[in-house]
Amino acid sequence: MAEIRLRGLVKAYPGQKAPAVERVSLDIPDGEFTVLLGPSGCGKTTLLRMVAGLELPTSGQVVIGDRDVTYLPPRERNLSMVFQSYAVFPHRKVRANIGFGLAMRGMPRDEIERKVAWAADLLQLGDFLDRYPAKLSGGQRQRVAVARAIVVDADVLLMDEPLSNLDALLRLGFRAELKKLVSELGTTTLYVTHDQVEALSLGDRVAVMRDGALQQVASPLEVYDTPTNEFVGGFIGSPPMNFLTGAVVNGHVDLGGPMLPTPPALASFAGRTVRLGVRAEAIGLVEESAPGAVPATVEVFEPLGSAVLLTTTVAGQQLKVQAPATFRVQPGETLWLNVPEQHQRWFDPETAMALETRDT
Ligand SMILES: Nc1ncnc2c1ncn2[C@@H]1O[C@H](COP(=O)(O)OP(=O)(O)O)[C@@H](O)[C@H]1O
Ligand SMILES: [Mg+2]
């Protein structure tokens, strides 16, 4: 096992306006599971391929353990990789597919048998060892790819959207299995996905990327609760974080009529515009007479089973509110809301960066 250290990695493809990867520095401690999360086209695969050695960086450094591997070919990096497309050999049986990397390394046959049996058992492929991939489901094929990646005792495991070709139910089941498996193996893992739920559920840490650059690297709960900027707040969560624009006046934030008491840390923003970020489930439903109650007009009522999602407007600004499953309301009605101070996250509209109101 080994830690991964990325130093100022840049990848600029010829003819591209902006680099695909822009000065990414990231440390992944030994044994940690880090998820690289971002929208399609933000440079995740390019970054992973530079770690793997499939792509040369324009500048920067890749260090695995105590070796600078930036210019080493993939086979000298002792890593294994799982791709989005299953990439199994169609003309080899499952057994030979899983053992492929071991055979390439010249491992004795009986030892290969033992390791293949071990991986097949972990991935519930024991009954399929003598089948060809064409006779497997998509989920089973991806299990073969994962089994092949884990048998080789690599220092580092790299996975690029391995679940995204599976249907929703299978994805959910395999996600939990993968999490258990990787935590038992303890292999340093870098996992790429555009799916924010997957990122939160799997990662010890989540590295959020946008336009080639890292935005925030933190635990799943930190990126969810305290996004570093509006992009992260808006990308993570379903629904995304709400944003309401207001002006700081006379100890209040004026949301265009409704007033919120200004948190002490916003005092220096008197006279300026700020943006309030708040999660749908953090908003409380209160009586009209409650202190600081904010009126909201219900536009859409959506029962989701486990909860009710309300699309409302507060002085013309849209606000999504999550209410208990049994809550009933009609479009057009007025609700009274409360935004608890501990769930308020404030942003500077000019930079879209969070104002660190909680850490001061
Ligand atoms: N071989 C390549 N040549 C030129 N541009 C590329 C190449 N590979 C990727 N790109 C571009 O780099 C950007 C990042 O791509 P990619 O790393 O695949 O993003 P992601 O995996 O996050 O969807 C995209 O704009 C893509 O079009
Ligand atoms: Mg990709």
Side-chain angles (χ1 to χ4, degrees):
M1 282 188 285
E3 68 182 321
I4 305 173
R5 280 173 291 161
L6 310 181
R7 290 282 176 268
L9 273 186
V10 174
K11 180 70 189 187
Y13 290 110
Q16 249 193 343
K17 265 192 254 114
V21 171
E22 204 145 14
R23 284 195 301 277
V24 167
S25 295
L26 177 66
D27 284 359
I28 305 172
D30 189 12
E32 197 188 82
F33 193 133
T34 292
V35 177
L36 194 59
L37 169 70
S40 179
C42 75
K44 306 180 297 296
T45 294
T46 304
L47 183 62
L48 201 71
R49 287 172 58 84
M50 288 192 282
V51 179
L54 298 168
E55 202 79 67
L56 273 185
T58 306
S59 59
Q61 211 183 11
V62 179
V63 178
I64 297 178
D66 48 17
R67 286 194 309 156
D68 181 341
V69 300
T70 315
Y71 299 104
L72 292 184
R75 64 176 186 282
E76 286 174 38
R77 299 186 180 203
N78 196 26
L79 45 81
S80 38
M81 194 157 174
V82 180
F83 300 92
Q84 173 176 1
S85 56
Y86 313 124
V88 293
F89 305 112
H91 54 282
R92 288 175 204 264
K93 290 178 176 174
V94 168
R95 181 188 306 283
N97 259 291
I98 299 177
F100 180 77
L102 302 176
M104 290 292 287
R105 291 172 193 213
M107 185 181 271
R109 187 170 294 193
D110 56 334
E111 211 171 318
I112 295 179
E113 270 303 304
R114 208 164 34 76
K115 296 224 68 168
V116 168
W118 165 81
D121 188 42
L122 276 179
L123 286 147
Q124 297 161 36
L125 290 167
D127 294 338
F128 307 104
L129 285 172
D130 291 311
R131 281 201 199 174
Y132 285 97
K135 297 271 167 63
L136 298 176
S137 69
Q140 287 164 340
R141 251 174 270 171
Q142 194 55 308
R143 284 166 194 276
V144 173
V146 173
R148 189 176 57 196
I150 66 168
V151 285
V152 295
D153 291 328
D155 287 334
V156 163
L157 195 53
L158 304 176
M159 294 196 249
D160 192 353
E161 314 235 15
L163 305 184
S164 61
N165 281 349
L166 307 181
D167 67 56
L169 205 59
L170 212 56
R171 194 156 63 219
L172 216 60
F174 200 10
R175 188 175 82 198
E177 278 178 51
L178 202 58
K179 178 164 186 170
K180 182 160 175 268
L181 177 69
V182 174
S183 108
E184 282 167 6
L185 291 171
T187 310
T188 311
T189 301
L190 182 56
Y191 182 107
V192 160
T193 183
H194 67 274
D195 179 331
Q196 48 95 16
V197 180
E198 206 171 290
L200 296 185
S201 96
L202 285 173
D204 295 321
R205 277 194 316 162
V206 178
V208 186
M209 207 172 165
R210 176 199 201 184
D211 295 342
L214 286 182
Q215 306 291 301
Q216 185 170 15
V217 183
S219 73
L221 289 184
E222 270 178 276
V223 292
Y224 186 82
D225 288 332
T226 54
T228 191
N229 59 27
E230 292 185 17
F231 171 79
V232 174
F235 189 70
I236 291 178
S238 177
M241 183 172 254
N242 290 294
F243 297 103
L244 295 176
T245 304
V248 182
V249 280
N250 300 330
H252 286 83
V253 180
D254 181 352
L255 297 172
M259 299 281 187
L260 284 179
T262 307
L266 281 190
S268 64
F269 276 76
R272 290 183 52 186
T273 301
V274 288
R275 196 125 58 211
L276 167 66
V278 61
R279 295 280 178 194
E281 73 275 13
I283 299 167
L285 299 169
V286 294
E287 299 289 331
E288 180 174 353
S289 58
V294 171
T297 308
V298 178
E299 305 283 342
V300 184
F301 172 92
E302 294 173 85
L304 301 181
S306 60
V308 160
L309 185 63
L310 308 170
T311 304
T312 73
T313 51
V314 171
Q317 304 193 62
Q318 183 178 291
L319 185 71
K320 300 255 189 194
V321 179
Q322 185 178 309
T326 52
F327 187 77
R328 292 292 174 270
V329 70
Q330 295 291 328
E333 285 183 41
T334 297
L335 292 176
W336 295 87
L337 309 176
N338 144 293
V339 184
E341 197 177 316
Q342 75 269 25
H343 295 302
Q344 299 170 0
R345 182 106 178 127
W346 296 93
F347 298 87
D348 181 342
E350 277 173 25
T351 60
M353 295 301 289
L355 305 169
E356 290 303 329
T357 52
R358 269 174 244 184
D359 305 342
T360 48

